[in-house]
Amino acid sequence: MSIDRIKHYLVGIEPLKSEAKQQAQERLDALIKPPGSLGKLEEIVVTLAGISGKIYFDPTKRCVIIMSADNGVVAEGVTSAPQSVTYSQTLNFTKGITGINAIAKQFNTDIYVVDVGINAEFTHPQVKNRKIKLATANITQGAAMTLSEAEQAILTGIETALDVIEKGYSIIGVGEMGIGNTTTSAAVLCAICGATVEEVTGLGAGLSSDAYQRKIKVIKTAIQRNQPLSQDPIDVLAKVGGLDIAAMVGVFIGGAYRRVPLVIDGFISIVAALVATRLNPVIKNYLFASHASSERGYSYAAKALGVEACLELNMRLGEGSGCPLMFAIIDAACAIMREMGTFKESGLGEEYLNTIKNSRCFS
């Protein structure tokens, strides 16, 4: 059964390696700089060491996994774009002409596109066909999917992560494509955290005032109709979530299981990350938040997850577009560890080192 296989991966996720973290911190403290003066870059280095068990992490082979799926709730008029855009944009990923393509190319990042529920029958050599069904059901009328389908989607995400890691990728970004998925993400966030719908519901790709109010009403109706169980994340996904979100949850699980750093994109991605950590809190240690999405629910989800984004760019595109930017920051962090010299190598005396380390200016 899918749930048994999911549990196998969840229980196999291990804590970060404390000895490697300590070694990384010791080298950082020996570099020719005031202690902690490189801020988050130093935190990144230490975390990467804990994940990989090595103080020198190589992030050069990286990819963004994009989970594509449709959502039946679009029938309620909660989006500014037609459902067909999910299919069209998924094909555009393969043409190299989308936002994520442009940014990924600039930062030497591959993309790996997976169809887990697009509402169209098609085959394409650059789109992995793992379709579970032709879109979810309308969540105002009943559950988005069965519990079995939700489990299958999570397992698909796990297997996708394992597949790309087997291909040699050492770091993964998690993105999506699915018209209507800010609605399902907001519903999941409400169900998991007890947030009010108004707190976490944004304009998505751009809604009118009337459509926005309809979106809020739709989410309230879906939650009332389906009564998702907050203590059971998979139940929440099945009742008010999406196949894309569930598959992204699986990517976070699979990546953590294989001790690979995982980069969160925007709102949908961080909701999936939050759900994954509710299944196993250790997963949080493997996460890096790229940018603070301007979608309303992002800050609520980030606070609930306990992460802080590195970038504030007012982005809300999705597609995994923030991940290559975070890869560039991780490149910089790794370069510090690899390229900077130590006090001993520079000829600066131990007395100077101790003076800096003991200075309250950098505590």
Side-chain angles (χ1 to χ4, degrees):
M1 293 177 64
S2 294
I3 189 60
D4 294 328
R5 295 175 66 189
I6 293 169
K7 289 178 179 178
H8 163 77
Y9 293 111
L10 285 169
V11 300
I13 297 171
E14 299 177 347
L16 302 192
K17 296 182 181 295
S18 57
E19 184 177 351
K21 290 178 65 178
Q22 180 62 33
Q23 291 172 347
Q25 189 62 61
E26 288 173 358
R27 175 163 173 77
L28 284 170
D29 290 344
L31 299 179
I32 46 174
K33 61 175 179 59
S37 58
L38 287 171
K40 287 185 180 180
L41 295 179
E42 298 191 32
E43 296 173 15
I44 288 169
V45 166
V46 172
T47 302
L48 289 172
I51 292 171
S52 66
K54 305 172 183 178
I55 64 172
Y56 299 107
F57 179 77
D58 182 3
T60 54
K61 188 167 177 59
R62 61 274 194 110
C63 78
V64 176
I65 294 173
I66 303 174
M67 292 296 180
S68 293
D70 277 307
N71 301 281
V73 72
V74 298
E76 299 299 319
V78 294
T79 70
S80 58
Q83 187 178 79
S84 60
V85 170
T86 302
Y87 168 68
S88 298
Q89 194 71 341
T90 297
L91 292 184
N92 286 333
F93 294 143
T94 70
K95 300 174 185 177
I97 61 175
T98 68
I100 178 59
N101 290 119
I103 300 171
K105 183 178 180 180
Q106 184 66 28
F107 295 106
N108 301 311
T109 300
D110 295 330
I111 64 171
Y112 192 92
V113 187
V114 184
D115 170 15
V116 287
I118 299 173
N119 193 18
E121 295 286 4
F122 72 102
T123 58
H124 192 286
Q126 292 173 258
V127 178
K128 187 74 171 179
N129 184 3
R130 296 300 304 273
K131 193 190 299 289
I132 293 164
K133 62 188 300 186
L134 292 168
T136 54
N138 183 344
I139 56 176
T140 66
Q141 306 300 313
M145 63 192 103
T146 66
L147 198 61
S148 176
E149 288 167 342
E151 292 167 355
Q152 187 181 348
I154 292 171
L155 188 59
T156 294
I158 293 172
E159 292 171 346
T160 300
L162 300 182
D163 184 38
V164 301
I165 294 166
E166 187 66 27
K167 295 178 188 299
Y169 291 99
S170 61
I171 186 167
I172 296 171
V174 186
E176 42 61 44
M177 181 63 223
I179 298 302
N181 62 13
T182 60
T183 298
T184 52
S185 295
V188 169
L189 187 54
C190 288
I192 289 285
C193 295
T196 67
V197 176
E198 289 81 2
E199 282 180 299
V200 300
T201 303
L203 297 176
L207 293 176
S208 66
S209 178
D210 287 346
Y212 174 64
Q213 292 303 318
R214 182 164 58 249
K215 183 177 180 179
I216 289 174
K217 183 178 179 181
V218 162
I219 296 170
K220 289 180 177 179
T221 299
I223 292 172
Q224 180 62 36
R225 172 71 182 264
N226 292 292
Q227 296 292 304
L229 303 174
S230 61
Q231 71 275 20
D232 185 344
I234 300 180
D235 179 79
V236 171
L237 289 172
K239 287 179 176 175
V240 297
L243 292 162
D244 48 355
I245 303 172
M248 293 163 78
V249 170
V251 174
F252 286 117
I253 295 169
Y257 175 79
R258 285 293 307 271
R259 305 193 70 88
V260 166
L262 299 154
V263 176
I264 300 166
D265 179 30
F267 178 50
I268 293 89
S269 187
I270 202 167
V271 169
L274 178 61
V275 173
T277 62
R278 293 298 172 91
L279 290 167
N280 186 336
V282 178
I283 292 172
K284 179 189 170 183
N285 299 324
Y286 291 82
L287 305 179
F288 296 86
S290 59
H291 71 102
S293 171
S294 62
E295 184 67 20
R296 179 170 295 173
Y298 180 90
S299 59
Y300 191 102
K303 185 176 180 180
L305 184 54
V307 297
E308 184 178 354
C310 283
L311 299 166
E312 182 75 55
L313 299 171
N314 295 325
M315 290 172 58
R316 53 184 178 86
L317 174 64
E319 303 178 1
S321 54
C323 298
L325 299 171
M326 188 64 195
F327 292 157
I329 293 174
I330 290 172
D331 283 345
C334 292
I336 289 163
M337 202 63 157
R338 186 177 63 249
E339 304 294 343
M340 283 186 72
T342 64
F343 278 89
K344 185 177 181 179
E345 292 166 345
S346 69
L348 293 173
E350 289 295 322
E351 182 179 350
Y352 176 64
L353 170 60
N354 291 332
T355 299
I356 289 181
K357 284 187 175 181
N358 294 329
S359 171
R360 296 194 177 195
C361 295
F362 304 107
S363 61

